[in-house]
Amino acid sequence: MKQALILGATSDMGQAFARRCAAEGFGLTLAARNTDVLGLLANDLRVRFNTEIETVLFDALDMAGHPTFYKNLKHRPDVAACFVGWLGDADAVHKDFTAARQVLDTNYTGVVSILDRVAEEFEARGKGIIIGVSSVAGDRGRQPGYHYGSSKAALTAYLSGLRNRLYASGVHVITVKPGYCHTKMVEHFDLPAAITSDPEQVAHAIYKAMKRKQNVVYVLWMWRWIMLAIQHIPEALFKRLRM
Amino acid sequence: MSTISGWGNYPVIQAEANGFETATKLQEQLRAPGEAIAYGNGRSYGDAPLQKRVLMTRRFNKFLAFDEAGGILRCESGVLLADILEVFVPRGWFPPVSPGTKYVTVGGAVAADIHGKNHHVEGSFGRHVLEMEVMRPDGTVMVCSRNRHPEFFELTIGAMGLSGMILNATFRLKPIKTAYIHKQTVRADDLEAVMNLFEEPSHWTYSVAWVDTLARGAALGRSIMIRGRHAAPEQLTCTAQRQAPLKLAPQRQVDVPFYFPSAALNRRTMQAFNAAYYHRCRKGTEQSIVDYEQFFYPLDSIGRWNRIYGRRGFMQYQFVIPKAAGRGAVREILQHITTSGLGSFLAVLKLFGEQESFISFPMAGYTLALDFPVSLQALDLFKELDAMVAGHGGRLYLAKDARMDASMFARTYANVDDFRQAVALLNDSVPTRFASFLSRRIGITP
């Protein structure tokens, strides 16, 4: 039975992906900070799928603990998917560096820290799939939310480089770029329904990408073209816009 | 701020909407002063889950336990019937009571004490609940059942969320051998004919009639009666079904991506639709085997179908008339609706069995549910119907209602004063008081 390690499993996308993997017969290791919700999620999956689920405490910001965390996993993963993310408060973040740091470290540094450990093992054995959930926000920095955006831009570049390095060893890396999605993270935002996905749609897109060995996946599909357009706006004009 | 409404898109309001994933998180939210109410999946039609601050239950949606031996399920209140069908039909279990859509939450099912096409045989949803955990407005959690805090248990079933937040419910699913329904369709020429069909002794578990409320004169109440029972494996006709009797092929979904212009639905188009639907069914009786989606949830395959009514939205009027009032009462009301000239698509007629509950809607007798586009004339018609329904000892369904006033509610629900008092007591000296636009309108909360 194939094993999937899901980091940030209590996020809405992480939960949806966990359900999808369980439905497809994967064994699951769910890792997250919030052990209450993690327990509820694991139990829910057990009732739904009658399958064994391992749950482990994981904090993206506890980088010193990442090597031990990864080494001690009961089941070695075939697939590792990272859903860790933190939006932060766009107003507070540029005034208070501690808040800014949390955004940058959660979305980028912490993810690099754990994925490097995963990549090490996957490369040595010559197979596996690594999935990193970035964001369309990383495709161009705009106000507000450029701390989040830049951390995702960094993550996108990291995943691209990782994909490049691991290609020779047969390990596949997928970059997922969700656009607007109905999740806890943006619960209080009023998002345009036509271009906003549900976590289940993101999970489905990721699963499809795994099967087809896709490299960069936009969810929903139109965000690829939306971001292409946005990326082509000349900077002299872009700097004046308030999107 | 989020834009929220019921399924009728009337009314639509701006509200502070907060989700929660644990009981602890909910408790934190109940420390804020003001009024709040639970919002499940928004499939009630009016303003039952509307308030300036709503507590969204959709993420409070985990399965907690399942006892395979007895089919006893325990799950959080945000679980949808759709989730239960997805997980448990393949294992040979079906919800005990199902409304016209599978997209309702378990919490909503209990709070509205929903009914389905099998009420005369199996009662309402509340009857099948064994135990519940409910967080009262003061943040304490009550474990209740028929033996434990029975008054609070009885109050919560049908209380439209006013007794607090239902956290989870334990209820029995019913065993099935296939995912298919043996369906019978009978055309009835008029109201008398369809009522005869309802009242004749039969072995059908599920019965419902689609009534053409635009038909007049001798054709008043012409309907198509649809009955069904869970199909046995021997009844399945095609090989694919026989090989996997509990599995369904993936359902095709279409969506209504935008609001229709309000002119799209008018008397002429509705008359044409109703006539076509009625004549589509051939004279006499037809039998077939259909999957449970087609039988129970035909409209669920059309996403956001409520947008067909346009931006002004629509209102449902669902009433029940006690058996004691006789067939003439239903005829009189139907006649009045038909004469009004206000269009309604197919209306739904059912016959309820006996039910004695604290504050729930069903009582033994005929229940009719109709949709009307929002208009001043419709509101006037509803006022007239109120008088007739109340006059015959009937009442309206709170899960459908968007406009009934406090005097109509007081006149038609026997336990109004006790209900008001119980809610006031629960809301006494607490930061977050449980109240909705509905409860204020019908005079249960100030």
Side-chain angles (χ1 to χ4, degrees):
Chain A
M1 178 172 61
K2 292 213 161 221
Q3 278 290 133
L5 166 65
I6 302 178
L7 303 158
T10 54
S11 67
D12 283 353
M13 291 179 194
Q15 292 193 34
F17 188 65
R19 263 199 304 277
R20 185 58 194 268
C21 288
E24 302 284 349
F26 274 79
L28 291 182
T29 305
L30 305 178
R33 248 185 333 173
N34 187 332
T35 47
D36 288 339
V37 178
L38 195 58
L40 287 168
L41 172 64
N43 189 51
D44 171 81
L45 292 168
R46 275 182 212 113
V47 172
R48 280 173 180 263
F49 301 107
N50 250 321
T51 175
E52 248 327 292
I53 316 272
E54 186 192 354
T55 59
V56 192
L57 171 66
F58 175 73
D59 187 344
L61 296 177
D62 173 24
M63 295 173 232
H66 289 178
T68 321
F69 158 81
Y70 190 67
K71 197 173 63 137
N72 289 346
L73 292 179
K74 253 189 245 145
H75 306 278
R76 308 321 302 168
D78 299 290
V79 173
C82 182
F83 291 86
V84 169
W86 180 254
L87 186 63
D89 175 359
D91 293 321
V93 121
H94 57 88
K95 294 188 197 126
D96 167 14
F97 187 64
T98 321
R101 186 135 211 184
Q102 188 176 14
V103 173
L104 305 178
D105 284 350
T106 308
N107 296 337
Y108 181 62
T109 329
V111 176
V112 168
S113 165
I114 185 61
L115 289 188
D116 273 351
R117 305 285 68 76
V118 176
E120 214 166 26
E121 181 180 70
F122 281 22
E123 184 177 41
R125 71 175 188 211
K127 64 182 168 94
I129 302 178
I130 296 174
I131 300 160
V133 180
S134 182
S135 167
V136 299
D139 281 12
R140 186 156 196 177
R142 64 137 169 126
Q143 70 81 35
Y146 53 92
H147 291 74
Y148 178 82
S150 64
S151 67
K152 289 299 194 180
L155 181 60
T156 298
Y158 166 81
L159 292 167
S160 167
L162 189 65
R163 180 163 38 247
N164 192 195
R165 167 177 141 230
L166 294 179
Y167 180 73
S169 57
V171 177
H172 184 60
V173 179
I174 303 174
T175 307
V176 185
K177 291 182 177 178
Y180 290 146
C181 183
H182 291 300
T183 64
K184 289 184 289 233
M185 186 183 267
V186 288
E187 191 178 34
H188 296 114
F189 290 53
D190 229 340
L191 301 173
I195 54 174
T196 307
S197 59
D198 286 322
E200 283 69 30
Q201 287 173 300
V202 176
H204 178 70
I206 299 175
Y207 197 79
K208 235 176 37 177
M210 273 169 57
K211 296 274 124 198
R212 300 183 189 176
K213 290 260 165 78
Q214 289 172 325
N215 299 313
V216 180
V217 186
Y218 283 86
V219 191
L220 297 165
W221 61 270
M222 73 284 288
W223 281 93
R224 183 185 294 272
W225 312 111
I226 295 172
M227 294 322 291
L228 194 64
I230 290 180
Q231 281 170 330
H232 281 81
I233 300 173
E235 191 67 5
L237 172 58
F238 193 82
K239 68 182 182 186
R240 301 167 208 238
L241 299 176
R242 300 198 91 76
M243 288 197 160
Chain B
M1 289 301 246
S2 310
T3 308
I4 59 169
S5 71
W7 192 244
N9 286 321
Y10 174 81
V12 181
I13 68 165
Q14 293 292 305
E16 187 192 321
N18 298 315
F20 59 97
E21 276 187 292
T22 60
T24 317
K25 263 265 133 40
L26 175 63
Q27 258 164 350
E28 280 168 28
Q29 288 177 20
L30 296 186
R31 291 195 199 116
E35 293 178 313
I37 195 75
Y39 187 104
N41 207 35
R43 287 307 186 103
S44 61
Y45 284 72
D47 54 1
L50 304 188
Q51 188 47 273
K52 297 221 185 58
R53 177 159 64 101
V54 292
L55 307 160
M56 313 285 273
T57 68
R58 286 296 293 117
R59 286 200 184 85
F60 197 67
N61 66 341
K62 302 295 179 285
F63 286 104
L64 297 172
F66 183 63
D67 169 12
E68 198 80 47
I72 301 173
L73 177 63
R74 184 162 170 264
C75 64
E76 290 181 339
S77 53
V79 168
L80 297 175
L81 289 194
D83 300 331
I84 296 174
L85 288 161
E86 187 190 322
V87 175
F88 291 102
V89 166
R91 281 150 78 162
W93 300 97
F94 204 79
V97 168
S98 201
T101 170
K102 56 184 182 172
Y103 294 119
V104 300
T105 60
V106 166
V110 174
D113 197 12
I114 59 171
H115 57 268
K117 303 171 176 52
N118 59 341
H119 187 275
H120 59 288
V121 179
E122 290 166 319
S124 62
F125 196 86
R127 189 203 278 195
H128 303 269
V129 176
L130 301 170
E131 188 179 83
M132 290 188 279
E133 280 189 312
V134 183
M135 184 176 289
R136 299 192 306 188
D138 66 11
T140 58
V141 178
M142 292 273 274
V143 180
C144 58
S145 66
R146 282 174 193 87
N147 300 318
R148 212 166 153 188
H149 303 290
E151 277 172 13
F152 186 73
F153 184 76
E154 293 299 330
L155 163 68
T156 301
I157 298 173
M160 304 304 283
L162 297 171
S163 69
M165 174 71 76
I166 299 169
L167 296 176
N168 59 68
T170 308
F171 52 98
R172 215 181 271 277
L173 301 179
K174 51 191 232 180
I176 51 169
K177 289 264 161 43
T178 75
Y180 296 87
I181 305 289
H182 176 202
K183 172 182 169 183
Q184 182 208 54
T185 315
V186 189
R187 210 167 80 172
D189 293 333
D190 56 31
L191 192 60
E192 279 302 303
V194 74
M195 285 181 164
N196 288 340
L197 286 170
F198 271 112
E199 293 175 33
E200 71 184 16
S202 86
H203 59 278
W204 298 100
T205 315
Y206 302 99
S207 306
V208 67
W210 295 94
V211 182
D212 179 0
T213 54
L214 294 171
R216 296 176 171 221
L220 180 76
R222 72 177 178 188
S223 337
I224 294 177
M225 169 72 125
I226 298 168
R227 293 145 138 178
R229 46 207 300 249
H230 292 282
E234 314 81 71
Q235 290 176 291
L236 300 182
T237 43
C238 82
T239 337
Q241 290 173 357
R242 280 176 168 253
Q243 278 170 352
L246 289 167
K247 197 164 176 198
L248 280 198
Q251 302 289 308
R252 252 178 317 156
Q253 260 273 92
V254 293
D255 184 43
V256 180
F258 53 82
Y259 285 91
F260 277 36
S262 45
L265 281 194
N266 55 56
R267 197 196 161 76
R268 238 175 291 273
T269 54
M270 287 203 234
Q271 242 168 351
F273 179 89
N274 282 10
Y277 191 84
Y278 177 76
H279 287 288
R280 194 167 147 264
C281 174
R282 286 195 295 266
K283 229 175 160 61
T285 306
E286 279 177 10
Q287 308 232 6
S288 55
I289 300 287
V290 298
D291 66 52
Y292 73 83
E293 293 277 354
Q294 290 172 343
F295 185 81
F296 290 100
Y297 316 112
L299 283 175
D300 282 349
S301 64
I302 307 172
R304 300 188 286 186
W305 62 260
N306 53 346
R307 291 170 150 207
I308 294 173
Y309 282 93
R311 277 202 180 274
R312 66 188 156 152
F314 67 111
M315 298 180 292
Q316 263 239 342
Y317 193 86
Q318 179 166 2
F319 63 90
V320 61
I321 297 293
K323 277 218 95 155
R327 290 187 175 196
V330 184
R331 167 176 298 279
E332 188 194 323
I333 295 175
L334 186 59
Q335 183 76 62
H336 192 79
I337 293 166
T338 314
T339 327
S340 75
L342 292 177
S344 174
F345 266 120
L346 305 168
V348 177
L349 180 70
K350 297 188 191 89
L351 179 60
F352 282 154
E354 290 293 338
Q355 177 162 343
E356 290 279 333
S357 299
F358 179 65
I359 202 78
S360 301
F361 165 67
M363 60 166 77
Y366 282 100
T367 178
L368 184 66
L370 312 104
D371 290 342
F372 293 86
V374 173
S375 70
L376 290 173
Q377 300 98 299
L379 288 170
D380 285 340
L381 172 66
F382 288 8
K383 256 298 191 232
E384 291 158 17
L385 296 177
D386 281 358
M388 297 170 83
V389 168
H392 287 298
R395 56 195 180 203
L396 304 185
Y397 189 20
L398 295 179
K400 306 289 183 81
D401 174 56
R403 39 56 61 196
M404 161 171 61
D405 63 23
S407 66
M408 172 66 179
F409 185 65
R411 199 176 156 193
T412 52
Y413 279 82
N415 297 322
V416 174
D417 292 332
D418 289 343
F419 185 32
R420 191 183 302 112
Q421 215 168 27
V423 172
L425 218 61
L426 287 163
N427 281 330
D428 185 38
S429 312
V430 296
T432 297
R433 296 185 310 282
F434 274 66
S436 58
F437 279 34
L438 167 72
S439 67
R440 182 177 55 194
R441 178 166 55 77
I442 61 174
I444 292 305
T445 55

